[in-house]
Amino acid sequence: MADNKFAAYICSGCGLGDKLDVGSLEKIAQKEGKMTVVKNHPFLCSASGVQMIKDDIANEGVTHLCIAACSRRAKTEAFNFPTAAVSRTNLREGVLWVVAEGSDHDEVRQEMAEDYVRMGCAEVKKMKLPEGNPNRDQAQNKRILVVGGGMSGMTAALAAAEAGYEAVLVEKTGALGGFAANLWKRVPFSSPYAEPQATGVEEMVAKVTGNTRIKLHLNTTVAETGGAPGRFTVKLARESGAVSDETVGAIVQASGFTPYDMAKLPELGGGQANVVDQAGLEALAKTANGGAIKRADGKIVTSVVFVQCAGQRDDTGTHLSYCSGHCCATSIKQAMYFKDANPDVDTVVMYTDLRVPGMGEDFYRSAQQKGVIFTKGKASKVTGGDSCKVEFSDLILDEQTSVDADLVVLATGQVANAGVNLDAWTEVNTAAEGGNEEAKVKRSGMKTISVLNLNYRQGPDMPQFKHGFADSHFICFPYETRRTGIYAAGPTRRPMDMLQATEDATGAAMKAIQAVENAAQGRAAHPRAWDLSFPSARLEGCTQCKRCTVECPFGAIDEDEKRFPVFNEQRCRRCGTCMGACPVRVISFENYSCDTVGSQIKAVNVPDEDEEKPRILILACENDAYPALDMAGVQRLSYSAYVRAIPVRCLGSVNTIWITDALNGGYDGVMMMGCKKGDDYQCHFVKGSEMAHYRMSKIGDTLKQMGIEPERVVTEEVAITDNARVAKLINDYAAQINDLGPSPMKGFG
Amino acid sequence: MSDLNTQAVARYKNNFLREVEERVEEGDMVKMCMQCGVCAGSCPLGPHWQHSPQKIFMMIRAGKREEVLTSDSMWMCTSCYNCIVRCPRQLPITHIMHGLANYAHRLGIAPKGQPTREFAKTFWNNLIKKGRVNELTLTLAHYFANGIGPGIQIALNMQKIGLGMVLAGRLNPMEIFGGHSVKDLNGFHAVLAKAKEIEDRKKGFSA
Ligand code: SF4
Ligand code: SF4
Ligand code: SF4
Ligand code: SF4
């Protein structure tokens, strides 16, 4: 490997040259930053500026660059030098645009710019050029495993196959089709959205079985899954007892749903004669085969009441608290079964809010046209039997009343078949590992419902988000889960109807394809899909504390027999949460480590107490907070020139050493900005922000020992839209630091 | 209970919605209401009605025949059309309100003495006599609807306006003697008779 050669390029365009003394910045890069090559350019992102850098890389052997110009989020295409390690120093959004105008501020503006140049140089000195997963040649498998042969699973397998990827489709029953195979008809997918349609299951099955790229395993379950994207090894168990192995690159979990058990709804007649759920009604309709629908006792149904939201949207905590989204349209469809066979059948759909997403409004209107009666009311009691009675409160007429019917249909909800709940699992597993025999038995019992049987340290299935669904963040990152290379599709991810499930499955198949392609190139998956860096641990220093293996939000780290962490690079999303967790700081990425950030913190010139220029360190999550800071600059919202901001991959990657180093070094305060945490988190790495808040809540003692007021360290939640708020947060905090006075540590560093 | 009403009850049994669909002007749109309540919120008469249009439609679907037809709610409609322009389901609400009122009237179960109903009767009777509205007799009939005393009182109050209209040629005092008619009064009456015949047939009042 050739020797490293460091260079700094300082831009004087965009007005930087007018307000900053670029000559002195150059001197700092040279003398303090120890850059071998230092150049300035009036328009660095222009073709000639970029060419200048390229020439230096090609002819001068420059391997490491510090570009002191605009934010790292700007001009990414111009400043793309794949063969060099690059740090970006933010003089434009971070200094020029946010420091108040006027010559009064010339001095602090220049000081801020000088510090940022020092920081950029210090950072790049510690960086290495990321080269991708070194074991990527073992992660070249591009086959896609699809678990579940229902509508979602078949769609995913076909989508993968049609895109040119081999699919392995595993179905635990003896036939494809899943829940959809038991339907008489489905809601329409296309205009005019007026009539129930044939399910299309048979055509789909024919397509799947006729596709040479799809390998089908019926009567089969997944007995064990191990490995990582590009190299998953999956043990398949046949009902017969036979076991086979498949190697795949990514997995789509389309394990579907189970209708909420109506036996839990005795007050709504669950379990009584002539009270069925929607699945039960489909069975009756299938038997009727287009003719008059009969009850189980053979009587032709002349009146039917559909009770919506049965055991759903329940705020008492007894039943499902959510809306399953499909059941209003499903009841509409089922009411049409009756009306289409005989318009004289009385059909009442009893709802509190009729929710028909997509083009469901048209379908609803069509049912009204057919004479289905929609009654806004809440059923309080259903009595089954020969003549059923639905007692309800009419929400429009504001009265308690009742209606009789031959048959009552309960619209119960979808319960995800998402496997083992990992929170419960962790508890039992920890006890079992501690030798508790009872827990061991319980653990094997729990495992029987596992879908994937992952041999991961963090448990056998995907973590569940809310209400037991295997989602990770449906608003910011649809299709993402918390197990890299494994994508949930259909009602196991969130409640949905068949059309949504097919779209969802197609999306999941596309994500799976991205995952195998990224893995083959040794790159990370979403949200750092371009990232070639990967975590490595100096195991000589590891104390086997297990923090990294427990805290990794994506279950990327396993443990070997000696309890050392085993990094599965392709499972890793490169968030750095493990790096933030490690108490002995042995985890690092080539271009992001305790050193790359620590050296920046140390590079800042901290003025003496009597200069009355405090220094505030900002560690800003690069996903939301840092863009918000940039936007504050774009909008010319000024904030204190005493802050020095460092972008971090995720607040979870913040190692407490940075905080203590900063405070020891005489900084007057540290402000952390990360995404929203908690149940409605917006953290791009799910748990990072939460972990950071948690860790910071624990450093009080350390601060006390140092004799530092705890208010000097603050953690804020910042959204990407918070540009105005960020400026205010900083200024308020700077005022607070001003009131506190200089840090007691100043001068000791 | 009138004969017509008894017949209607027998004919539609408990299916009031079907009765409305068949017999009330634009009644076939009632089933399309989605109970959003926009009409109820839009109606300027809202606070003064017993039942908003939304509620009336729900009552029809719930089979509350008696309550709907004897209610004075639909008689309160001023035909402002606020509800029609706002209804997301494009129900011709105003027309249905009038249709319901008309139907109740026809069955003889509309509220007695309801002012709108009384005025409508006066107006209709005045109109069909000559094929045109006789402003003078209509006005007087209206003034004296509540008896001689109040009639004289209103007439005196309106004296100035009346004189002004006479002077401006907008009111002919001679119209008090029967007034003039449309050109072909017999033809006009024949049109009305035919229309009634068609309507009776359509709405199932006759064979
Ligand atoms: S947290 Fe650090 S010390 Fe603990 S196991 Fe992980 S690498 Fe080792
Ligand atoms: S914590 Fe983040 S960086 Fe560390 S192994 Fe897990 S996913 Fe990768
Ligand atoms: S047209 Fe009649 S019902 Fe409609 S808003 Fe006006 S007054 Fe109310
Ligand atoms: S606005 Fe239309 S749809 Fe809404 S309640 Fe009134 S009539 Fe029904």
Side-chain angles (χ1 to χ4, degrees):
Chain A
M1 209 180 157
D3 285 346
N4 290 339
K5 188 163 181 181
F6 296 88
Y9 299 91
I10 301 170
C11 181
S12 55
C14 283
L16 288 165
D18 305 334
K19 289 282 172 66
L20 297 173
D21 177 354
V22 172
S24 107
L25 295 180
E26 282 183 85
K27 257 181 229 134
I28 284 173
Q30 222 153 27
K31 294 225 172 76
E32 298 180 41
K34 307 253 173 356
M35 296 286 112
T36 320
V37 180
V38 177
K39 291 184 179 171
N40 80 51
H41 193 281
F43 191 2
L44 192 60
C45 62
S46 67
S48 80
V50 171
Q51 195 55 48
M52 171 179 85
I53 301 175
K54 281 189 177 154
D55 288 346
D56 283 357
I57 295 173
N59 309 329
E60 306 291 326
V62 167
T63 56
H64 287 61
L65 335 163
C66 167
I67 292 174
C70 40
S71 163
R72 57 160 66 188
R73 303 180 62 255
K75 306 288 174 198
T76 47
E77 273 160 35
F79 297 136
N80 175 25
F81 307 105
T83 60
V86 181
S87 75
R88 297 275 306 263
T89 278
N90 188 355
L91 298 182
R92 191 180 70 175
E93 289 84 343
V95 181
L96 183 67
W97 289 351
V98 288
V99 177
E101 301 256 344
S103 51
D104 287 2
H105 304 278
D106 281 353
E107 188 180 302
V108 286
R109 188 187 302 113
Q110 180 70 19
E111 284 172 1
M112 197 180 192
E114 288 174 1
D115 270 349
Y116 276 131
V117 169
R118 290 182 186 103
M119 291 157 77
C121 295
E123 182 185 12
V124 78
K125 286 227 125 171
K126 299 287 183 186
M127 283 167 76
K128 280 195 230 108
L129 178 66
E131 285 172 346
N133 177 7
N135 304 320
R136 65 171 162 276
D137 52 330
Q138 285 147 42
Q140 297 292 326
N141 194 299
K142 293 190 180 173
R143 302 165 84 214
I144 314 266
L145 171 73
V146 179
V147 183
M151 214 59 189
S152 315
M154 289 194 290
T155 307
L158 281 170
E162 277 159 22
Y165 292 78
E166 242 181 88
V168 180
L169 182 55
V170 173
E171 163 59 38
K172 75 172 173 210
T173 71
L176 292 172
F179 196 82
N182 299 323
L183 302 184
W184 165 235
K185 286 184 176 174
R186 63 161 166 79
V187 294
F189 288 3
S190 56
S191 173
Y193 303 97
E195 306 293 336
Q197 305 288 317
T199 60
V201 167
E202 279 164 34
E203 291 86 332
M204 194 88 156
V205 171
K207 268 199 201 166
V208 168
T209 46
N211 194 309
T212 51
R213 285 209 192 93
I214 302 177
K215 185 170 171 189
L216 184 59
H217 294 272
L218 292 176
N219 295 312
T220 304
T221 52
V222 177
E224 188 180 335
T225 304
R231 55 172 183 86
F232 284 113
T233 50
V234 184
K235 274 199 183 60
L236 299 179
R238 294 193 125 252
E239 211 176 30
S240 61
V243 175
S244 60
D245 288 333
E246 292 281 0
T247 311
V248 297
I251 299 171
V252 173
Q253 178 179 330
S255 41
F257 72 101
T258 307
Y260 187 68
D261 184 2
M262 52 165 192
K264 293 182 184 158
L265 301 166
E267 70 284 6
L268 293 181
Q272 297 178 34
N274 303 321
V275 178
V276 296
D277 62 7
Q278 291 181 325
L281 197 268
E282 293 293 339
L284 296 180
K286 261 200 144 174
T287 314
N289 198 22
I293 297 176
K294 293 184 192 141
R295 311 195 302 204
D297 62 6
K299 181 181 184 301
I300 289 182
V301 176
T302 60
S303 55
V304 55
V305 175
F306 294 85
V307 176
Q308 297 309 109
C309 308
Q312 302 193 65
R313 302 174 64 206
D314 173 60
D315 50 17
T316 66
T318 322
H319 304 296
L320 305 181
S321 61
Y322 53 88
C323 161
S324 292
H326 79 94
C327 13
C328 282
T330 300
S331 286
I332 291 173
K333 175 194 72 172
Q334 296 184 337
M336 286 187 187
Y337 292 171
F338 290 96
K339 284 288 182 193
D340 289 347
N342 174 8
D344 285 335
V345 177
D346 285 332
T347 51
V348 174
V349 176
M350 191 174 291
Y351 67 98
T352 51
D353 308 275
L354 209 69
R355 294 178 170 178
V356 280
M359 297 307 289
E361 265 307 302
D362 287 348
F363 196 47
Y364 173 18
R365 258 193 287 264
S366 170
Q368 287 180 299
Q369 227 113 40
K370 288 176 193 261
V372 177
I373 300 285
F374 290 84
T375 295
K376 192 170 165 79
K378 192 161 178 52
S380 49
K381 187 172 174 212
V382 176
T383 319
D386 192 41
S387 172
C388 308
K389 183 185 266 318
V390 179
E391 290 165 51
F392 68 103
S393 72
D394 189 310
L395 298 174
I396 300 293
L397 305 181
D398 196 21
E399 61 183 13
Q400 197 63 40
T401 175
S402 72
V403 53
D404 296 332
D406 291 338
L407 186 74
V408 175
V409 183
L410 303 181
T412 58
Q414 293 179 322
V415 178
N417 297 336
V420 180
N421 176 329
L422 293 194
D423 292 334
W425 166 268
T426 308
E427 208 173 293
V428 175
N429 188 45
T430 313
E433 282 181 351
N436 183 323
E437 291 305 320
E438 210 178 306
K440 279 184 195 167
V441 177
K442 201 164 171 206
R443 182 174 62 176
S444 29
M446 281 178 105
K447 259 198 117 174
T448 53
I449 63 157
S450 175
V451 179
L452 296 174
N453 280 301
L454 295 164
N455 61 14
Y456 290 15
R457 160 75 172 74
Q458 289 186 8
D461 281 295
M462 274 192 269
Q464 295 163 5
F465 183 33
K466 280 186 183 164
H467 316 306
F469 288 88
D471 196 358
S472 97
H473 199 302
F474 52 82
I475 295 173
C476 297
F477 324 115
Y479 306 117
E480 283 304 332
T481 63
R482 287 176 52 193
R483 291 295 175 259
T484 314
I486 307 179
Y487 299 93
T492 193
R493 188 173 75 78
R494 65 164 177 77
M496 62 177 80
D497 63 21
M498 204 197 286
L499 178 60
Q500 289 173 346
T502 53
E503 285 167 0
D504 202 52
T506 311
M510 298 302 119
K511 290 298 294 186
I513 290 171
Q514 281 177 6
V516 295
E517 291 300 338
N518 279 325
Q521 294 171 56
R523 305 196 304 198
H526 169 94
R528 299 182 59 87
W530 74 94
D531 192 352
L532 283 167
S533 73
F534 64 94
S536 62
R538 265 190 311 107
L539 292 184
E540 317 84 85
C542 172
T543 60
Q544 292 126 304
C545 72
K546 298 202 276 194
R547 286 224 203 135
C548 54
T549 50
V550 170
E551 289 183 16
C552 170
F554 302 100
I557 315 173
D558 291 329
E559 279 158 29
D560 66 12
E561 313 79 59
K562 292 187 188 140
R563 308 251 157 182
F564 280 114
V566 178
F567 284 82
N568 294 279
E569 293 93 358
Q570 285 309 137
R571 283 196 222 158
C572 165
R573 305 272 180 101
R574 318 324 197 231
C575 63
T577 301
C578 51
M579 176 174 123
C582 184
V584 287
R585 297 177 297 285
V586 299
I587 301 175
S588 61
F589 301 80
E590 297 103 316
N591 54 2
Y592 185 61
S593 62
C594 286
D595 272 357
T596 61
V597 176
S599 62
Q600 293 182 67
I601 294 172
K602 288 178 192 143
V604 168
N605 191 9
V606 181
D608 284 340
E609 197 173 330
D610 45 14
E611 285 188 49
E612 291 183 6
K613 283 178 183 164
R615 285 291 174 260
I616 297 168
L617 174 66
I618 295 183
L619 296 166
C621 159
E622 66 181 9
N623 298 297
D624 273 24
Y626 202 70
L629 285 168
D630 276 356
M631 277 312 292
V634 171
Q635 298 188 331
R636 306 299 197 277
L637 304 168
S638 51
Y639 56 73
S640 165
Y642 298 140
V643 302
R644 303 291 180 259
I646 300 178
V648 295
R649 287 188 179 183
C650 172
L651 221 46
S653 70
V654 171
N655 195 295
T656 37
I657 188 76
W658 298 340
I659 318 286
T660 46
D661 274 1
L663 295 170
N664 274 324
Y667 283 79
D668 300 277
V670 181
M671 185 176 212
M672 274 160 287
M673 294 179 181
C675 299
K676 193 164 163 39
K677 62 177 189 323
D679 278 352
D680 295 317
Y681 69 88
Q682 290 174 7
C683 174
H684 292 53
F685 297 104
V686 188
K687 289 278 170 205
S689 180
E690 194 165 309
M691 284 318 305
H693 279 79
Y694 174 75
R695 290 175 199 149
M696 291 315 138
S697 72
K698 301 268 160 195
I699 64 166
D701 283 348
T702 317
L703 297 183
K704 220 180 273 166
Q705 276 166 18
M706 293 165 76
I708 285 183
E709 304 87 333
E711 309 92 275
R712 291 194 188 269
V713 180
V714 294
T715 315
E716 298 285 354
E717 287 179 358
V718 169
I720 196 158
T721 46
D722 277 348
N723 31 29
R725 184 171 157 257
V726 179
K728 186 170 181 321
L729 276 178
I730 293 178
N731 289 335
D732 290 352
Y733 178 61
Q736 189 188 329
I737 290 296
N738 198 41
D739 293 345
L740 277 174
S743 159
M745 297 300 290
K746 243 188 231 303
F748 290 102
Chain B
M1 235 186 233
S2 73
D3 282 354
L4 276 177
N5 190 38
T6 322
Q7 283 161 21
V9 170
R11 182 182 173 115
Y12 292 101
K13 307 221 166 52
N14 288 323
N15 202 335
F16 184 40
L17 176 61
R18 177 155 315 155
E19 182 176 351
V20 169
E21 288 180 337
E22 284 180 15
R23 291 191 149 187
V24 172
E25 170 115 28
E26 312 233 37
D28 60 334
M29 285 296 283
V30 168
K31 61 176 180 286
M32 299 307 289
C33 167
M34 63 173 188
Q35 293 298 316
C36 68
V38 163
C39 53
S42 308
C43 181
L45 270 295
H48 311 290
W49 289 38
Q50 197 185 355
H51 310 300
S52 66
Q54 173 199 18
K55 219 164 151 191
I56 293 266
F57 299 152
M58 194 69 194
M59 289 163 77
I60 293 173
R61 288 164 13 175
K64 296 185 181 287
R65 183 176 189 277
E66 192 73 13
E67 264 183 68
V68 171
L69 293 178
T70 59
S71 137
D72 83 336
S73 290
M74 51 275 187
W75 293 99
M76 301 288 284
C77 171
T78 60
S79 310
C80 72
Y81 281 77
N82 253 357
C83 53
I84 286 204
V85 298
R86 289 183 179 169
C87 172
R89 281 298 180 77
Q90 288 154 340
L91 266 79
I93 302 163
T94 318
H95 305 171
I96 301 174
M97 288 299 118
H98 296 326
L100 282 168
N102 178 272
Y103 183 56
H105 169 73
R106 182 131 198 222
L107 296 183
I109 55 174
K112 299 245 157 14
Q114 206 285 335
T116 318
R117 183 182 181 206
E118 292 310 319
F119 180 72
K121 277 201 281 191
T122 312
F123 185 92
W124 177 254
N125 292 336
N126 186 292
L127 173 78
I128 54 172
K129 210 175 278 171
K130 295 283 176 176
R132 57 178 291 281
V133 171
N134 182 327
E135 274 105 354
L136 192 58
T137 53
L138 176 67
T139 313
L140 290 175
H142 182 53
Y143 289 175
F144 288 91
N146 294 328
I148 305 270
I152 294 177
Q153 192 57 48
I154 305 176
L156 285 176
N157 287 349
M158 300 300 282
Q159 203 179 12
K160 242 179 146 181
I161 295 177
L163 275 176
M165 284 176 74
V166 171
L167 288 178
R170 305 304 305 168
L171 193 69
N172 185 351
M174 298 322 260
E175 293 279 319
I176 193 95
F177 306 110
H180 68 292
S181 70
V182 291
K183 274 185 192 142
D184 179 5
L185 188 57
N186 286 340
F188 172 70
H189 284 145
V191 168
L192 286 186
K194 186 73 188 169
K196 182 161 186 315
E197 183 198 318
I198 295 173
E199 191 185 340
D200 282 356
R201 193 164 4 98
K202 265 194 177 165
K203 294 186 176 172
F205 285 104
S206 62

